[in-house]
Amino acid sequence: MSDMTSTADAPRSPGRPRSVRADEAIIEATLDLLAQGNTIESISIEAIAARAGVGKATIYRRWPGKDALLRDALRTLKGNPPEPAGRSVRDDLILLVGAVGHHIDPRAERIMPCLVPEVNRSPEQYQLYQNIIEPRRTLMREVLRRGVRTGELRADLDVEVTMAMLTGPMLVQRVMRWHPHLDEATLAEQIVDGLLDGIRAR
Amino acid sequence: MSDMTSTADAPRSPGRPRSVRADEAIIEATLDLLAQGNTIESISIEAIAARAGVGKATIYRRWPGKDALLRDALRTLKGNPPEPAGRSVRDDLILLVGAVGHHIDPRAERIMPCLVPEVNRSPEQYQLYQNIIEPRRTLMREVLRRGVRTGELRADLDVEVTMAMLTGPMLVQRVMRWHPHLDEATLAEQIVDGLLDGIRAR
């Protein structure tokens, strides 16, 4: 697990993959096994290799171990993070909040919620989960810090709590449709404007 | 499932239970079966009766069906909802936000996350989940509406979005420790004050 404790986005694979198709088959096999209800703990490199139709050595040439492979596999569920335009803090936050809990792969709906008990049980898997989401948190952190610098946001802003306040409502709505009557199409804007303006009467 | 579509808190059991111990054994058996990884769909009244050491008729004398029993079983994971004092909207919200995602039963950690895929798949189970959380949402809704009436909160408040904004950040922190550096002991207060005051520079 030592490879997971360095910074989240350090490159893992020293060489270039010889075949993108093998890479994709390995990632697909990993996600299929997770979507079938297998736990992170129970999945073996052997099982992934067998399902992908490659040898174990092919996997180890591309990833140093199971955790690095799982991190890459789980990240593909989300697709690429959005790119803030850098003009208005409000617009950038709406873009980032709108991407929270959005997955481009339908297997995510089966995989992600059931990771939670594992993540709570194991420090290694908690670190894996943090490594998956930290790059997106970094994007939002930079937008908020920029807002403080430019004077758009209050100088005493608690950036980490604010990120939780922007992310949490969208995440529970996307992952479990927490409230049946919220409109996902407008929710990102409602969250950002609600938090910018506050709810206290003035 | 028709018994689940009426209001969330209507009484289900026409007669008083003859034995509280049988009630408890049935609830315990249901929670044990869920904590072992059984899905709501796969759990049968037969299996619950066998584990609880009672006959099926004993269960049906107390609950009209599996859904009503599951709702009561899952609600016991949470314990009783807190009782707002009704003086300050801020204090009442901190009390209610502090109870979000708090379970008195450790089996909740295994049961609740894995319900999410089922809830997303089945309209009946989504309704069951809504019936479990709606009484707590009602408490928060009443505090927010009171704040609008008393002038503590803005007159144009979107009560439903505000509830998601108060609940979501605490829920993701409690359920999956979303951010490793947030302090759960102060988070309810930080969320409520952050949302009351807003983050825009003034």
Side-chain angles (χ1 to χ4, degrees):
Chain A
M1 225 40 205
S2 64
D3 62 297
M4 303 303 294
T5 54
S6 56
T7 50
D9 262 345
R12 299 292 164 198
S13 318
R16 286 180 65 83
R18 287 197 223 161
S19 154
V20 173
R21 282 182 74 170
D23 267 32
E24 283 175 1
I26 293 162
I27 294 277
E28 285 301 299
T30 308
L31 293 174
D32 282 344
L33 288 168
L34 287 170
Q36 284 170 5
N38 296 289
T39 62
I40 286 181
E41 207 175 343
S42 71
I43 286 181
S44 66
I45 293 288
E46 285 82 356
I48 295 169
R51 192 179 176 101
V54 302
K56 280 171 63 177
T58 306
I59 295 181
Y60 283 117
R61 266 200 303 277
R62 289 159 169 80
W63 288 276
K66 193 172 91 169
D67 293 319
L69 168 55
L70 278 165
R71 190 204 51 186
D72 285 355
L74 293 171
R75 277 194 185 162
T76 66
L77 294 175
K78 289 185 177 295
N80 292 321
E83 296 182 20
R87 286 185 291 271
S88 140
V89 164
R90 175 180 177 271
D91 291 350
D92 287 354
L93 290 179
I94 291 171
L95 181 77
L96 294 176
V97 171
V100 167
H102 178 75
H103 294 98
I104 59 168
D105 189 313
R107 284 171 297 193
E109 196 190 300
R110 282 175 173 273
I111 294 173
M112 299 308 281
C114 279
L115 293 186
V116 174
E118 281 200 87
V119 158
N120 286 336
R121 221 165 28 237
S122 150
E124 287 80 14
Q125 287 169 28
Y126 181 69
Q127 192 57 51
L128 171 64
Y129 159 70
Q130 290 296 318
N131 286 344
I132 291 165
I133 63 175
E134 185 58 27
R136 283 156 190 267
R137 215 148 43 193
T138 299
L139 282 177
M140 191 178 284
R141 192 179 284 120
E142 285 167 0
V143 171
L144 291 171
R145 287 185 181 154
R146 194 185 86 220
V148 173
R149 280 199 308 277
T150 61
E152 285 163 275
L153 301 181
R154 39 197 305 166
D156 63 349
L157 190 72
D158 187 322
V159 170
E160 306 304 308
V161 170
T162 302
M163 288 201 298
M165 294 182 69
L166 289 164
T167 304
M170 185 56 97
L171 201 53
V172 297
Q173 190 61 22
R174 280 260 163 80
V175 171
M176 57 178 101
R177 275 188 305 145
W178 178 78
H179 192 312
H181 299 130
L182 295 183
D183 180 357
E184 267 187 37
T186 58
L187 188 58
E189 193 169 341
Q190 290 174 305
I191 291 168
V192 172
D193 284 336
L195 189 54
L196 280 168
D197 293 333
I199 64 172
R200 199 193 296 277
R202 290 169 207 289
Chain B
M1 222 42 199
S2 62
D3 61 296
M4 302 303 295
T5 54
S6 56
T7 51
D9 262 344
R12 300 291 164 197
S13 317
R16 287 179 66 83
R18 287 198 224 161
S19 153
V20 172
R21 282 181 74 169
D23 267 33
E24 284 175 358
I26 293 163
I27 294 278
E28 285 300 300
T30 308
L31 293 174
D32 283 344
L33 289 168
L34 288 170
Q36 283 170 5
N38 295 289
T39 62
I40 287 181
E41 207 176 344
S42 72
I43 286 180
S44 65
I45 293 288
E46 285 82 356
I48 295 169
R51 192 179 176 100
V54 302
K56 280 172 60 177
T58 306
I59 296 182
Y60 282 118
R61 265 200 302 276
R62 288 158 170 78
W63 288 278
K66 192 171 91 169
D67 293 319
L69 168 55
L70 278 165
R71 191 205 50 190
D72 285 354
L74 293 171
R75 277 194 185 160
T76 65
L77 294 175
K78 290 186 179 294
N80 292 324
E83 296 183 20
R87 287 184 288 271
S88 139
V89 164
R90 174 181 177 272
D91 292 350
D92 287 354
L93 290 179
I94 291 172
L95 180 77
L96 294 177
V97 171
V100 167
H102 178 76
H103 293 99
I104 58 167
D105 189 312
R107 286 171 294 192
E109 197 191 298
R110 283 173 171 272
I111 294 173
M112 298 308 281
C114 280
L115 292 186
V116 173
E118 280 200 272
V119 159
N120 286 336
R121 224 168 24 242
S122 149
E124 287 78 14
Q125 286 169 28
Y126 181 68
Q127 191 57 50
L128 172 64
Y129 159 70
Q130 290 297 317
N131 286 344
I132 291 165
I133 63 176
E134 185 56 29
R136 283 156 190 268
R137 216 149 41 196
T138 299
L139 282 177
M140 191 178 284
R141 191 180 285 121
E142 284 166 0
V143 171
L144 291 171
R145 287 185 180 152
R146 191 186 87 219
V148 173
R149 278 199 310 276
T150 60
E152 287 162 275
L153 302 181
R154 37 197 306 167
D156 64 349
L157 191 72
D158 187 321
V159 170
E160 305 303 308
V161 170
T162 301
M163 289 201 297
M165 294 182 69
L166 290 164
T167 304
M170 184 56 97
L171 201 53
V172 297
Q173 190 61 21
R174 281 260 164 81
V175 172
M176 56 178 104
R177 275 187 305 148
W178 178 77
H179 192 311
H181 299 130
L182 295 182
D183 180 358
E184 267 189 36
T186 57
L187 188 57
E189 193 169 342
Q190 290 173 303
I191 291 168
V192 171
D193 285 336
L195 189 54
L196 279 169
D197 294 333
I199 64 172
R200 199 194 296 277
R202 289 170 207 288

